[in-house]
Amino acid sequence: MTDKAKTPANEMWGGRFEARPDQILEQINASIDYDRRLATQDITASQEHARMLAAQGIISEADSAAICEGLGRVLAEIEAGEFEFSRALEDIHMNVEARLKALIGEPAGRLHTARSRNDQVATDFKLWVRARIDGDIDALSALIAALLGQAEAGADLVMPGFTHLQTAQPVTFGHHMMAYVEMFGRDRSRLVDARARMNESPLGAAALAGTSFPIDRHRTAQALGFDRPAANSLDAVSDRDFALEYLSAASICAAHLSRLAEEMVIWSSAQFQFIRLSDQWTTGSSIMPQKRNPDAAELVRAKVGRIMGALIGLMTVMKGLPLAYSKDMQEDKERVFDGADALGLSLAAMTGMVRDMRPVPDALRAAAGAAFSTATDLADWLVRRLDMPFRDAHHVTGSLVKLAETSGVDLDGLSLQQMQTVEPRITEEVFAVLGVDNSVASRVSYGGTAPDQVRAQIARWREQENA
């Protein structure tokens, strides 16, 4: 026999195997390098499983107590950094169980009664994702609070609104901030929905078919904070929708973070100077001493690639798998861990930057009135005062813009006589709508940029957040 054949097999696999796996198989098969992050969830679920087994008379109360106490010791070792993880034991489940056996002996072997690693990992992973969702919901609430603070302070502060990144119409800084409040509010609601949908316990589904032991799945589900046990054992161990839905919601949120980050990069540039970020959220250059780089915003903008990549990667893993469990599904955790880490860091960074940024009123006001931003107000005035069809008013206004552009002035720089060469019925009253303050004040429709409307939306959100 070869030396490898003489080496004992992984005893957790039972008597079917005599030899250890090839070194390459061991390397590709092991997940302990990353799934050790499930240690707390694995031990918590195992303790509740042991308590349920005793309550159902499947194992003795003494064995259950020994298992729960031993698992507590294992967790303490892990948290203290004293636990020795073994690749030969493949994953967190076998590492914990092997250490439990070393600590308490024979009772450890009863823990896996009426359970498989298939339902065990699905339970652990759900618990981990659920906890991250809770953390992300809290982080989004903090970001929304920061944006509400900026919106309140800037409710009257005029700035240019853009379409195609070209000056379109004046808006207020507060209105712009509230747009992101709405976006991140939807992100939070998606996570809340995903959490509710995923909150079913796989524990007790065993390998795929359930178990012949008289277990109480409702008890373990309740003890672990689930709403109910999953209703189909095949689906319970096969399901990774919860991970996909989390990454999907995270990807949309990351896209929103990236859009805000992009605006921060543009706004803080020398060409715009709409906002300032402090030294806490910018970096310098190794060669150009004048530089203040918005690196945090740029990195948040980049994180969306990691998060969306995690979603696409896991979708690709899951797309062709037959029921029930396949080892391919081991590839789920690294992607979710990486995506979750990137999202959590991005949310924290963006919240810090939003709290830190300071708008520059003079620059915002100057830009708000430039590039004929009140042209639509002029067209609206022609409709209201002269009873002109909007398409005709649009044409007249376009001619006036061309005249102003040729004359090298903004619309309010044209004389009344110049305007009347295009439309004789225009009166002096038109100049009242050409100022940016009048423009934003006139946008009184629900959800508009008028300061009173912005304040009403802020009040609605504050009431909602404090409910």
Side-chain angles (χ1 to χ4, degrees), residues 39 42-43 47 67-85 92-93 95-104:
D42 188 72
I43 288 172
Q47 287 174 324
I67 288 169
C68 291
E69 189 274 335
L71 287 169
R73 290 165 63 188
V74 174
L75 182 59
E77 289 180 1
I78 292 172
E79 291 176 340
E82 299 169 354
F83 190 93
E84 292 187 14
F85 293 98
I92 187 61
H93 322 297
N95 269 264
V96 168
E97 190 173 330
R99 181 58 181 153
L100 179 65
K101 183 177 180 182
L103 288 173
I104 69 170

Side-chain angles (χ1 to χ4, degrees), residues 241-259:
D241 288 2
F242 64 92
L244 290 168
E245 192 167 3
Y246 171 60
L247 288 177
S248 179
S251 294
I252 297 172
C253 181
H256 292 158
L257 289 167
S258 182
R259 294 181 75 176

Side-chain angles (χ1 to χ4, degrees), residues 37 128 132 136 246-247 250 254 257 299-300 302-308 310 335-349:
R37 293 180 68 164
W128 192 93
R132 288 308 293 254
D136 291 342
Y246 171 60
L247 288 177
L257 289 167
L299 289 166
V300 167
K303 292 294 184 186
V304 68
R306 296 181 75 107
I307 298 167
M308 288 185 178
R335 287 170 170 80
V336 173
F337 292 160
D338 188 63
D341 290 346
L343 180 63
L345 184 58
S346 297
L347 285 168

Side-chain angles (χ1 to χ4, degrees), residues 251-440:
S251 294
I252 297 172
C253 181
H256 292 158
L257 289 167
S258 182
R259 294 181 75 176
L260 179 51
E262 169 71 2
E263 296 205 310
M264 286 183 165
V265 170
I266 293 171
W267 290 355
S268 62
S269 68
Q271 290 72 27
F272 276 72
Q273 298 186 48
F274 283 3
I275 62 168
R276 292 193 178 94
L277 292 169
S278 75
D279 293 352
Q280 288 185 298
W281 294 101
T282 55
T283 64
S285 166
S286 63
I287 189 172
M288 296 169 283
Q290 83 281 7
K291 293 292 294 297
R292 183 191 290 274
N293 299 322
D295 281 7
E298 292 171 14
L299 289 166
V300 167
R301 188 175 59 187
K303 292 294 184 186
V304 68
R306 296 181 75 107
I307 298 167
M308 288 185 178
L311 171 62
I312 298 303
L314 184 53
M315 286 282 284
T316 305
V317 167
M318 297 300 299
K319 70 174 181 61
L321 296 185
L323 298 181
Y325 181 84
S326 297
K327 195 70 170 182
D328 312 49
M329 292 163 71
Q330 185 169 287
E331 290 293 312
D332 56 3
K333 286 170 283 297
E334 278 188 287
R335 287 170 170 80
V336 173
F337 292 160
D338 188 63
D341 290 346
L343 180 63
L345 184 58
S346 297
L347 285 168
M350 184 55 71
T351 302
M353 284 186 287
V354 168
R355 288 172 179 160
D356 180 77
M357 73 175 177
R358 294 294 177 266
V360 182
D362 291 344
L364 290 167
R365 175 172 285 278
F372 314 110
S373 66
T374 57
T376 306
D377 298 277
L378 174 55
D380 289 347
W381 184 88
L382 293 171
V383 171
R384 288 194 308 271
R385 295 301 187 191
L386 304 185
D387 195 27
M388 189 178 290
F390 182 79
R391 282 297 164 209
D392 294 344
H394 186 282
H395 180 78
V396 168
T397 302
S399 298
L400 289 169
V401 167
K402 184 176 182 180
L403 177 60
E405 192 172 39
T406 302
S407 304
V409 297
D410 288 324
L411 281 170
D412 59 359
L414 291 173
S415 68
L416 178 60
Q417 292 73 25
Q418 286 176 300
M419 290 188 179
Q420 288 174 338
T421 63
V422 176
E423 172 49 65
R425 293 179 292 167
I426 294 177
T427 67
E428 193 79 32
E429 183 185 335
V430 73
F431 290 99
V433 303
L434 298 182
V436 293
D437 290 303
N438 290 332
S439 175
V440 298

Side-chain angles (χ1 to χ4, degrees), residues 210-233:
T211 177
S212 59
F213 289 96
I215 61 172
D216 186 350
R217 293 189 62 210
H218 288 84
R219 176 192 171 112
T220 50
Q222 183 179 22
L224 294 171
F226 290 107
D227 294 328
R228 65 192 70 85
N232 183 283
S233 60

Side-chain angles (χ1 to χ4, degrees), residues 10-224:
N10 183 338
E11 66 179 52
M12 309 301 282
W13 290 356
R16 174 69 174 82
F17 292 80
E18 296 181 354
R20 289 186 63 85
D22 185 272
Q23 183 179 356
I24 297 300
L25 174 58
E26 188 172 284
Q27 184 175 348
I28 197 173
N29 197 45
S31 59
I32 189 59
D33 292 343
Y34 51 86
D35 71 12
R36 64 179 64 185
R37 293 180 68 164
L38 299 176
T40 299
Q41 290 76 22
D42 188 72
I43 288 172
T44 300
S46 291
Q47 287 174 324
E48 294 304 334
H49 182 68
R51 293 186 182 107
M52 180 275 296
L53 291 176
Q56 294 298 106
I58 299 169
I59 67 174
S60 70
E61 290 287 353
D63 283 347
S64 174
I67 288 169
C68 291
E69 189 274 335
L71 287 169
R73 290 165 63 188
V74 174
L75 182 59
E77 289 180 1
I78 292 172
E79 291 176 340
E82 299 169 354
F83 190 93
E84 292 187 14
F85 293 98
S86 167
R87 269 195 173 186
L89 292 171
E90 295 186 20
D91 55 34
I92 187 61
H93 322 297
M94 286 182 147
N95 269 264
V96 168
E97 190 173 330
R99 181 58 181 153
L100 179 65
K101 183 177 180 182
L103 288 173
I104 69 170
E106 188 265 345
R110 303 187 188 280
L111 172 59
H112 211 53
T113 306
R115 185 177 78 169
S116 163
R117 277 193 296 174
N118 294 354
D119 62 331
Q120 187 179 1
V121 68
T123 303
D124 295 353
F125 198 22
K126 268 196 176 184
L127 289 171
W128 192 93
V129 171
R130 191 180 70 185
R132 288 308 293 254
I133 286 176
D134 289 343
D136 291 342
I137 288 170
D138 289 343
L140 278 162
S141 295
L143 176 54
I144 288 169
L147 287 163
L148 285 170
Q150 288 284 3
E152 198 161 41
D156 295 293
L157 181 56
V158 292
M159 66 173 289
F162 298 92
T163 61
H164 309 278
L165 202 56
Q166 305 295 314
T167 299
Q169 295 175 322
V171 296
T172 64
F173 191 78
H175 192 57
H176 202 109
M177 293 296 99
M178 288 304 294
Y180 283 105
V181 168
E182 294 291 335
M183 291 161 71
F184 292 121
R186 290 193 298 273
D187 291 327
R188 186 174 61 182
S189 70
R190 270 184 284 272
L191 289 172
V192 170
D193 289 346
R195 189 192 194 285
R197 206 164 7 259
M198 70 173 283
N199 208 32
E200 297 181 342
S201 173
L203 193 58
L208 74 161
T211 177
S212 59
F213 289 96
I215 61 172
D216 186 350
R217 293 189 62 210
H218 288 84
R219 176 192 171 112
T220 50
Q222 183 179 22
L224 294 171

